[in-house]
Amino acid sequence: MFKKILIANRGEIACRVIKTARKMGIQTVAVYSDADKDALHVSMADEAVHIGPAASAQSYLVVDKIVAACKQTGAEAVHPGYGFLSEKREFQEALAKAGVKFIGPDAHAIFAMGDKIESKKLAREAGVNTVPGYLGVIKDADEAVKIAREIGYPVMLKASAGGGGKGMRLAWNDAEAHEGFTSATNEAKTSFGDDRVFVEKFIEQPRHIEIQVLADGQGTVLYLGERECSIQRRHQKVIEEAPSPFLTPETRKAMGEQACALARIVNYKSAGTVEFIVGGATGEFYFLEMNTRLQVEHPVTEKITGLDLVEQMIRVAYGEKLSITQDDVKLTGWSMEARVYAEDPFRGFLPSTGRLTRYAPPAESNQVRVDTGVYEGGEISMFYDPMIAKLITYGPTRDAAIAHMRQALDEYYIRGLSHNIPFLASLFSKERFVKGNLTTNFIAEEYPNGFTSEDLPADDPTTLIAVAAAMKRRIVERNIQISGQFPGHEMKAPDQWTVLLGGQYHDVDVHPATGGYAVVVGGEAIEVKTDWQIGDPLIRANVDGRAVCVQVDRTGVSFRLSHSGVQAEVWVLTRRTAELHKLMPFKAPPDMSKFLLSPMPGLLVKLLVEEGQEVKAGEAIAVIEAMKMENILKAERDSKIAKIHAAAGDSLAVDQKIVEFGG
């Protein structure tokens, strides 16, 4: 077996590979840019090599630097992870020339199947059903519009070398096709160094289901079941699960066999994924693309098969034959994965960068797994994907996996930047999701006006009221315990309180009870059992026999409680203090509606207006680049540009003024 491997990646996937290598007794080498010098994967590896500036085009995407790091450290093989160089034929060829093994398929397979255009041509030649589209090179936006018209709207414009939702645009008309081609081309060039874009028909109401294949290049090709990846936002997967709630055993077998046939054509070896679009009404499936690498969502397959896919990739790369057959592959139980991102779902999911001032993921167990590349005190950089972690749960049934996920989301404590856990909590609470009625349009249909606080799971406010009252009682009891050490300063815990929640005042009575408290809210007695201590960020309680986890933050004299994605400012006051509090004046926030504010930290790539210019609603004002994605900011109403506050090339902070409207 290899004695030392290098991981040509960063973040959670680098940490994930290191864990398996360590289990196998293999030493590891990390590579890092200026922005990642203090990253978790660097500290986890046995060795680390600096490879350049923060920009991935000058570090993680430079083949020569990775090869040089292998020579410097004596690494015998390279695991590419996903993204970056994982599907670059030139990378595999450069490693082979240097005598270093590539933990993945050979160059021919990478080119034939990793390139989205070539893979579709090969699939058609092999008789595989493919989605109607144009696979030739498109020279400009005008030609893209012409092709889109011929195919018929809606169409999808996709980067040939793309993945991860980057370089993809959906167009319903000529204007969107023209704008989408330009943006997709720019993103493709920035993210992948390849600006080719192709066009294909967009199938409405589709399900995105993919087949995991595993091959050793020595005659054995297996399929390890499917993953349902239909819950997507802007073509970026948000939730994945295995198996799919939609497939029948017969369809699973047909898709698996077709995926294996495709892999055999190129003598594929290692782990790979064949993606399909499946018609929700008919069950018919069409080849979409093949990813010649490990997928982000591979953990759900590992949970239901019991296989370590990274280990299998390493063994195959070393030259070992697979030790299992198709009959040995058994799918047991159900697994869910949620991608936890540093983004603000209440502001259009804009990236959030900064330091993780507090970070405590849920405890791992057979039911909960956390794949992360960050730590408390670490930073989420503007230079890379804003993923914080992948949260994976497992249970004997789909309902059990969902229940474990909802509890784990409640326990995930992140402070210092915005994150998408409220959105994830909302998704997992949707009745339609629970029933498994999924399509790739799920998010657009369930959140037609975007995600707002109105979309958060409905929860009985008495739960938070009772927990807050019990928490306050424990604080007072601690103070009484301390005061007892000083004669003459003895205190008595009051039984009557008023809880201010959501602008409503609730009178409560709190009395000690066995193992906790009896909290009377609106005449109803609620039993709250908890051993919470002051300073703990999580209140784990049993409320009338139901396990509840509430996150707590002290904000002056009030508390901010978080549960099921809902954040609530809570005041627990004495009755007299509550009477006085009702008399306090309310100060309205300043009106910022006349400004176009930067919704995220990022680079102002283009400013498309000038002072005195008249603009119409929907007209593009500025283009901001963040996390390798272009974001076009548009006017919300007809107006006039009164003043310019920023210039192209500026690094913008969140809520920084860009332009001022007037007239």
Side-chain angles (χ1 to χ4, degrees):
M1 180 48 61
F2 299 122
K3 293 181 175 61
K4 183 186 292 186
I5 66 172
L6 181 145
I7 299 95
N9 218 296
R10 63 175 300 280
E12 65 85 15
I13 188 58
C15 297
R16 160 74 189 91
V17 175
I18 289 171
K19 288 179 180 178
T20 287
R22 183 181 294 164
K23 181 183 69 175
M24 298 175 69
I26 301 171
Q27 289 189 308
T28 55
V29 179
V31 291
Y32 66 95
S33 68
D34 290 346
D36 278 341
K37 61 180 173 39
D38 297 319
L40 183 61
H41 75 282
V42 175
S43 62
M44 285 182 63
D46 297 297
E47 300 176 59
V49 178
H50 176 250
I51 54 172
S56 57
Q58 297 175 275
S59 51
Y60 295 105
L61 287 172
V62 182
V63 172
D64 290 346
K65 291 185 177 181
I66 305 298
V67 173
C70 291
K71 293 179 178 178
Q72 177 184 331
T73 59
E76 304 162 80
V78 171
H79 196 298
Y82 53 75
F84 291 140
L85 296 171
S86 62
E87 293 180 285
K88 286 290 184 181
R89 175 181 59 177
E90 299 82 1
F91 183 45
Q92 197 273 354
E93 290 173 337
L95 290 173
K97 186 176 180 180
V100 178
K101 290 282 189 178
F102 180 72
I103 302 175
D106 61 27
H108 169 66
I110 292 173
F111 174 75
M113 303 309 296
D115 184 284
K116 307 304 184 273
I117 292 176
E118 292 302 319
S119 67
K120 286 182 181 294
K121 290 179 179 178
L122 188 59
R124 285 180 178 177
E125 292 173 9
V128 178
N129 288 338
T130 58
V131 179
Y134 180 81
L135 303 182
V137 176
I138 302 172
K139 64 180 181 180
D140 55 31
D142 290 336
E143 186 181 12
V145 170
K146 180 182 177 182
I147 292 169
R149 287 177 179 172
E150 293 173 354
I151 295 172
Y153 291 107
V155 298
M156 182 69 74
L157 298 104
K158 303 176 69 173
S160 176
K166 295 180 176 63
M168 297 177 64
R169 291 294 188 276
L170 175 62
W172 294 82
N173 53 50
D174 289 355
E176 291 182 0
H178 194 282
E179 182 181 280
F181 177 84
T182 301
S183 293
T185 300
N186 291 340
E187 284 182 10
K189 188 173 183 178
T190 300
S191 298
F192 312 110
D194 183 344
D195 62 0
R196 290 177 302 152
V197 170
F198 67 94
V199 183
E200 66 181 11
K201 179 72 175 177
F202 177 70
I203 297 177
E204 298 178 68
Q205 299 297 319
R207 297 180 80 115
H208 184 129
I209 300 176
E210 60 190 32
I211 300 294
Q212 176 70 59
V213 296
L214 183 63
D216 58 16
Q218 301 181 57
T220 302
V221 182
L222 310 176
Y223 64 92
L224 308 181
E226 78 282 1
R227 294 183 290 260
E228 172 101 35
C229 307
S230 297
I231 305 299
Q232 303 178 10
R233 191 187 66 79
R234 291 183 66 179
H235 316 296
Q236 177 78 45
K237 298 165 187 173
V238 179
I239 295 173
E240 302 97 349
E241 61 181 297
S244 164
F246 181 74
L247 293 193
T248 63
E250 293 76 20
T251 303
R252 176 179 298 116
K253 184 174 186 291
M255 292 176 69
E257 290 176 348
Q258 183 167 314
C260 288
L262 200 57
R264 288 191 182 95
I265 290 176
V266 290
N267 192 29
Y268 194 84
K269 67 176 183 180
S270 194
T273 296
V274 181
E275 300 190 349
F276 294 92
I277 291 178
V278 182
T282 64
E284 295 179 347
F285 55 89
Y286 300 90
F287 171 72
L288 183 60
E289 62 187 28
M290 183 175 187
N291 292 308
T292 57
R293 54 168 169 80
L294 191 66
Q295 290 282 82
V296 176
E297 58 273 17
H298 74 274
V300 293
T301 297
E302 293 183 325
K303 294 298 288 186
I304 67 167
T305 62
L307 296 171
D308 183 328
L309 292 182
V310 173
E311 178 181 349
Q312 296 299 321
M313 293 178 74
I314 293 173
R315 293 190 180 282
V316 167
Y318 188 69
E320 293 184 10
K321 296 189 66 174
L322 289 174
S323 61
I324 58 174
T325 66
Q326 191 63 57
D327 289 340
D328 295 324
V329 178
K330 307 296 181 185
L331 309 184
T332 305
W334 215 285
S335 185
M336 296 274 175
E337 176 180 288
R339 302 189 186 190
V340 181
Y341 281 105
E343 60 187 11
D344 190 344
F346 298 104
R347 304 181 64 167
F349 297 90
L350 295 171
S352 177
T353 59
R355 190 173 299 279
L356 290 157
T357 56
R358 296 292 303 276
Y359 180 73
E364 295 195 66
S365 65
N366 186 50
Q367 290 77 37
V368 178
R369 167 176 163 179
V370 182
D371 282 12
T372 187
V374 303
Y375 57 91
E376 185 168 289
E379 286 192 88
I380 300 296
S381 167
M382 66 178 287
F383 296 101
Y384 312 114
D385 186 88
M387 181 183 287
I388 295 173
K390 299 180 314 199
L391 180 59
I392 305 103
T393 58
Y394 174 81
T397 64
R398 189 170 186 270
D399 287 345
I402 292 174
H404 288 309
M405 179 63 75
R406 297 187 68 178
Q407 179 71 11
L409 289 170
D410 279 346
E411 295 176 359
Y412 216 131
Y413 189 79
I414 302 170
R415 297 295 182 269
L417 40 72
S418 299
H419 53 77
N420 68 334
I421 286 179
F423 178 60
L424 296 174
S426 174
L427 283 170
F428 281 102
S429 72
K430 291 286 185 181
E431 181 180 0
R432 178 179 165 189
F433 179 84
V434 174
K435 289 182 177 180
N437 182 17
L438 315 177
T439 73
T440 55
N441 297 323
F442 182 95
I443 290 177
E445 292 169 353
E446 291 294 312
Y447 306 92
N449 301 313
F451 181 71
T452 70
S453 58
E454 299 298 319
D455 296 305
L456 292 168
D459 200 6
D460 185 356
T462 57
T463 297
L464 283 184
I465 293 169
V467 169
M471 177 183 66
K472 182 69 173 183
R473 176 71 185 223
R474 288 188 70 83
I475 293 172
V476 171
E477 287 175 351
R478 175 185 180 266
N479 293 339
I480 290 173
Q481 185 179 18
I482 293 174
S483 70
Q485 301 174 18
F486 304 96
H489 292 274
E490 291 81 4
M491 300 170 59
K492 180 180 182 301
D495 295 327
Q496 296 184 326
W497 299 89
T498 297
V499 176
L500 173 58
L501 172 65
Q504 300 293 318
Y505 293 85
H506 306 267
D507 289 338
V508 300
D509 292 343
V510 185
H511 305 284
T514 303
Y517 306 93
V519 182
V520 181
V521 183
E524 178 185 357
I526 301 171
E527 183 181 62
V528 181
K529 295 182 177 181
T530 180
D531 58 0
W532 177 78
Q533 300 295 323
I534 297 174
D536 291 347
L538 302 179
I539 303 175
R540 301 178 191 276
N542 188 291
V543 181
D544 277 348
R546 180 169 62 98
V548 172
C549 181
V550 178
Q551 299 183 12
V552 57
D553 295 279
R554 191 71 180 258
T555 56
V557 296
S558 64
F559 301 93
R560 185 171 63 250
L561 303 184
S562 306
H563 177 62
S564 294
V566 178
Q567 283 195 0
E569 195 77 13
V570 180
W571 303 66
V572 185
L573 311 168
T574 64
R575 295 286 170 84
R576 176 56 180 159
T577 303
E579 292 174 2
L580 298 174
H581 191 273
K582 294 175 183 178
L583 304 176
M584 296 289 288
F586 172 75
K587 183 178 180 180
D591 180 15
M592 302 296 288
S593 61
K594 67 177 181 177
F595 297 102
L596 175 67
L597 305 177
S598 177
M600 73 196 85
L603 177 68
L604 181 56
V605 178
K606 296 178 184 176
L607 188 60
L608 306 173
V609 296
E610 56 187 26
E611 289 186 5
Q613 180 178 335
E614 300 282 347
V615 295
K616 298 293 185 181
E619 185 174 341
I621 303 294
V623 179
I624 296 178
E625 182 181 298
M627 305 295 185
K628 299 189 290 186
M629 297 284 281
E630 282 194 351
N631 300 272
I632 300 174
L633 306 186
K634 301 180 179 180
E636 294 184 353
R637 58 186 180 277
D638 294 353
S639 189
K640 183 178 181 179
I641 304 300
K643 188 175 181 180
I644 301 292
H645 289 273
D650 287 355
S651 292
L652 302 176
V654 65
D655 286 336
Q656 183 172 333
K657 297 175 183 177
I658 301 175
V659 301
E660 183 175 344
F661 300 105

